[in-house]
Amino acid sequence: MAKQNDLHFKTNVQLKSIIGKDLINDDNIAILELVKNSFDADAKQVKIKYFNLKQNDDKKVETFSDFTSRLIIQDDGIGMDITDIRDKWLNIAYSEKKSNKTQHKRRMAGAKGVGRFSCDRLGEYLNLYSKTANDDKYFKLSIDWKKFEIEDENKEIQSIPLKYETLTPKEFQDLGFIRFEHGVLLEIIKLRSTWAYSILDKNGNITNWDANKFVDLKKYLEKLINPNQAFESNDFGVFIDSPEFINENNSLNDNSKFIGKVENRIFEHLDFKTTSIETKITNNGNELYTELKDKGETIFWIREKNPFYPSITNSKATIYYLSPYAKSFFTKQTGIRSVDYGSIFLFINGFRVPPYGEFGNDWLGIDQRKAQGHSRYIGLRELVGQIEILDEENDFQIVSSREGIVKNDSFKTLTQSDNNNSFFYKAFRRLERYVVEGLNWDRAHEDEDLLKIHKKIVSGETKEEDLEYYEDTITKQKRVYSTIHNIISAKASEVIELYINENLITQKIDEEREVTEREFNQLIEDFSNKKIDSNTLNKILQKKALENADLEKQLKEFSKYTTNEATSKAILELQNYKETIEKQTKLIQELQNQLEELKRQKDSAEKSAITYKEKASKVEEDLTTEKEKNLYLLATRRTLSPDADGLIHTIKINNIEVRDGIENIIDDLTEDDYNVQDLIKKLGFLKICAERSLKMAEFATRADLKEDIEKREIDIVTYIEEYVTLYGETFSEKLKFTFSRNNSRLTKSLSVLNMSIILDNLISNAVKWGADKIHFEFEQNSDKKLSVFISDNGNGLSQRYLDNSDKIFELSVRDTPPTGLSGSGIGLYYTKNLLNEMNCDIEFVGNGTKLSGATFEIKFNTI
Amino acid sequence: MSVKKLLYIDDNKIDSQIENLRTKLKRQGYDLNETFIHLNDAFMMKNPENGKTILDKAKIQSFITDNYLNQNFDIVASDYDFKDENLDGFELLKWIKNESVSKKHKIRRAKFCLYSAEQDKVAKIFSTPEQVKKLIKLKIDDFIDRARIPDEISQILIAPQKSYYFKEHIINYLEKFGDKTFKSTYPKFKGMTLSEIAHEIDKDLPNGIEFQNSLVELTVAHLIELNNLSEE
């Protein structure tokens, strides 16, 4: 096995320059880094003080003297003892933030542990003075950065010795400093940059000093300081001092004065001039609270579930839309044009992340999105604001001092514009919709000369209340109201509570109510003056219906969400208003009905006058037409009496059978395909049909035909008695009928037509056999059975059939009566047939059993 | 001779007309096999408290169910007016049709006709949207003038088939040889009679459907095979 050897990194001295003056290439950033260190050390104040800028010996002395240029950055933080200096300050890349995110109740700002090398960027020499509250001495560490600037590949950074000493308060004071209890004082000597330029006249004499770099520094620091102070206690102050430049400072306008406390006042008063949206995550990261304000008034706020949990848990965004007027007010307040100030800044743990939001930086892709061709998008120039994040988990890592943060998933959830599915865009889109769809850009009046107005606003001549907009407030409010749900665009299931400015709702109602009332009163007046017609009322009703439908829709939209109390009250008013509209509609409808009734009466009076006239002239004509018509058939079915109607039905059915029966016989005969027996049967059937027709003709004159004659509920006993009495005479005048009812009674549903034919057959048979007396005897066998014995005094059945009397009911069997009046022989066959169809039967009882002649028994059954 | 099966329902006998129909069919080469449900038989009646004898719908239904629903008919025809307040031909046909469709009885494949001696009177009954809706839903095949029963019904029976119903054909064909037993080639049906297989198809049972699928596939495969042979 090969021998294993150890290798390790070496740190060359030149590392100092790489992470020092070469890395931090901007003076302002360098100062900021040092300020951050102070902040992390729980300082309440950081003082930045310049000396010896106008006159110094920088170029005259090798090292430095009391007259060399100096920058002192002093804080009142907890300070460092010797251990801290040795183990932390001198420990490159060590950052307490990495192990300790919150210190002294602050979220730490510095992160990479290289901020201290900013001193190298700023000056050639550094004296660090530090004292903690526990020490009674000051530690002094002196660094000459030049000592690290040697090209020697073997020289390691830790091989350069750094001098340190301890000072008593007295000794410290003797150096010209004021004593402090705790904190750090950085004395940066022989400044590398020129902070102020002398302006010379043609004789080479200094006439003036250009102190713009201080103004820049101040403005830079200003923006770095979160205007809303993300930290919990607003107790951190940065002060710039430069005693040599008091005069220069005083000659500047208020916005540019650099001596004094650095403060970010930009957003302090913007609320009153702008439209803004604020969105923040509350309730331990679970809820998203968004509030939209317009010119100081809350339009809506909404509490909904945080859709970005857990990526974004402790954040807040404030976005201002600057209308043309608002831009002018911005300039008046800040001294710079909003576009120069920047757009949306990002603050992480209280400090800005450059270059986000600076002029020309479109880190959120807002202009890029607008350029992709949507005129209804807000551009970067119309926005200012910031996103603040308190990042304890280090989800948002700063790449370097000028490159923003790492584009990880958290960054995406914060900023992506796809589907507006990010913390920023969700709020921004609501603001945008409000501005574009609601306010229609809140445009200035067309006639206004914007440049002139701008000047007047900046000079203070024009006040907010003097402004003229393209549209009045009411118009804008109406549009906002009508699109409010679209603006909010929230999923009902996500919403915890919603507030919509109650005035927005009620104002609309109030205005509409007024108009409606007026219209309604006018309507009533017009109605009583008869100045209104049905058409107008109809139109009004239609309008009301639309209005009602619209209100219905609004209420439905509102009902989706849980709303705040004030909003709920306003919605209730909306509901009440809807009821008013409904009541009015009802009243108008009544008026309409009255009007129509009147119109109808009038019309009908007029009409009847005309009708009478027409009638008179038409009578003659009709008479002729009627005469003609009666000659022909009616096109439509005539309404017959129920009698005739029932009869016709039976006739039809009967005759269809006759017709087809005859057709069948003709067919059979034509085809020569028949046997006599079959033919007789068919003809017998036709005979019955013919008899039925005859019977119907009789019935037509005498019977009650309202009920069906083919199916009638009758008492058989009564029916037979009645029928025989009435019709019996038609056979022979001499014929006598007698009846023995024996208290019998049987109700049955049957065809009275067929029943009649059966009786006819039996009577005519008796007559043929010489009878002049027929006796009907009824015998009740049970409540469902009845026997009728029909007995005559004729010759009786011939001897040859007495033993097999059943045969007489067969087809073409006939017994020739002595009278010679022969029947066709089909009578009894069909009598039995018809009875069988009624579920009844007939049989021959015998000769001389009742009267002297034959006796038949008909057995009736009912169910 | 091919047989046409008719089921007709009436409260009157229409023997002559049926005879006439038979003759007409005979000339076209068909035998008529008719079944008559005569709504005059006592067992189809009931006599409720009010004393009037009326048709007993339940009894009629169970009679039809027991005897006819699972038979094949070409036509089921019914008179409209039974002279009964309790039941008419429309109601009865509706019941037969719904019952047989929902329970997949064989009778469902018949054509359903209503006839009446007074069509114009019946037409007036279907004068409300509700009634028309009922009528349309029933999808009756014809409404015939009673006086023209032989003509109309024979026309329906001998009318050329406008569409081909594979399933019906296959069922009828299998029924023709219903007693024969199926041996193999389709293992699931092994040992079943053709009539039993027809039943599987008729009831849309899974095996029945599958069998029809493979039958078609087999046939087509066979045709292709024959094709190849003739090319060789």
Side-chain angles (χ1 to χ4, degrees), chain A residues 37 61 78 105 119 149 161 180 275 339 426-427 445 539 602 618 678 692 704 745 789:
Chain A
N37 285 351
V61 294
I78 53 168
K105 290 190 208 159
C119 300
E149 293 165 16
F180 55 87
T275 310
V339 60
K426 192 177 174 71
H445 202 277
K539 275 179 200 155
K602 195 173 146 238
K618 243 187 140 195
D678 185 45
R692 278 162 52 88
D704 169 21
R745 182 186 164 79
F789 296 95

Side-chain angles (χ1 to χ4, degrees), chain A residues 682-808:
Chain A
K682 282 179 180 169
L683 288 168
F685 171 71
L686 291 179
K687 183 174 177 256
I688 290 290
C689 288
E691 275 174 8
R692 278 162 52 88
S693 280
L694 277 171
K695 191 52 70 182
M696 275 186 271
E698 278 174 34
F699 275 8
T701 55
R702 302 184 75 159
D704 169 21
L705 299 170
K706 271 180 203 124
E707 276 185 74
D708 191 11
I709 50 171
E710 289 283 64
K711 199 176 201 178
R712 190 180 291 186
E713 204 86 14
I714 54 163
D715 170 29
I716 288 169
V717 179
T718 310
Y719 181 81
I720 291 178
E721 198 176 332
E722 216 169 76
Y723 178 83
V724 170
T725 313
L726 263 174
Y727 288 90
E729 295 162 4
T730 49
F731 298 94
S732 162
E733 280 181 15
K734 290 180 270 175
L735 209 53
K736 290 275 180 296
F737 298 104
T738 48
F739 302 94
S740 304
R741 293 191 61 152
N742 298 326
N743 287 329
S744 3
R745 182 186 164 79
L746 184 79
T747 313
K748 182 174 168 63
S749 167
L750 48 72
S751 164
V752 293
L753 193 57
N754 289 353
M755 188 65 226
S756 309
I757 288 167
I758 291 163
L759 291 172
D760 284 357
N761 273 342
L762 290 171
I763 293 168
S764 81
N765 246 2
V767 172
K768 281 175 200 162
W769 289 84
D772 59 1
K773 267 187 195 161
I774 301 175
H775 180 68
F776 290 86
E777 191 175 324
F778 301 95
E779 188 181 311
Q780 182 109 45
N781 301 317
S782 74
D783 60 343
K784 294 194 174 184
K785 280 185 197 297
L786 174 81
S787 287
V788 182
F789 296 95
I790 302 161
S791 171
D792 64 57
N793 61 348
N795 306 95
L797 193 66
S798 314
Q799 195 60 41
R800 60 174 171 142
Y801 288 116
L802 275 176
D803 289 338
N804 47 358
S805 59
D806 284 353
K807 276 194 96 95
I808 56 169

Side-chain angles (χ1 to χ4, degrees), chain A residues 38 143 248 296 327 389 520 538 550 562 596 608 678 696 817:
Chain A
S38 298
I143 301 176
E248 283 80 358
K327 283 180 192 164
I389 297 172
F520 188 69
N538 250 337
D550 188 37
T562 315
E596 259 165 21
S608 54
D678 185 45
M696 275 186 271

Side-chain angles (χ1 to χ4, degrees), chain A residues 503-519:
Chain A
N503 292 334
L504 206 60
I505 304 171
T506 52
Q507 207 154 341
K508 182 196 152 71
I509 304 170
D510 288 346
E511 199 203 338
E512 278 185 14
R513 202 199 301 271
E514 204 183 305
V515 176
T516 314
E517 290 286 324
R518 206 171 49 229
E519 276 177 1

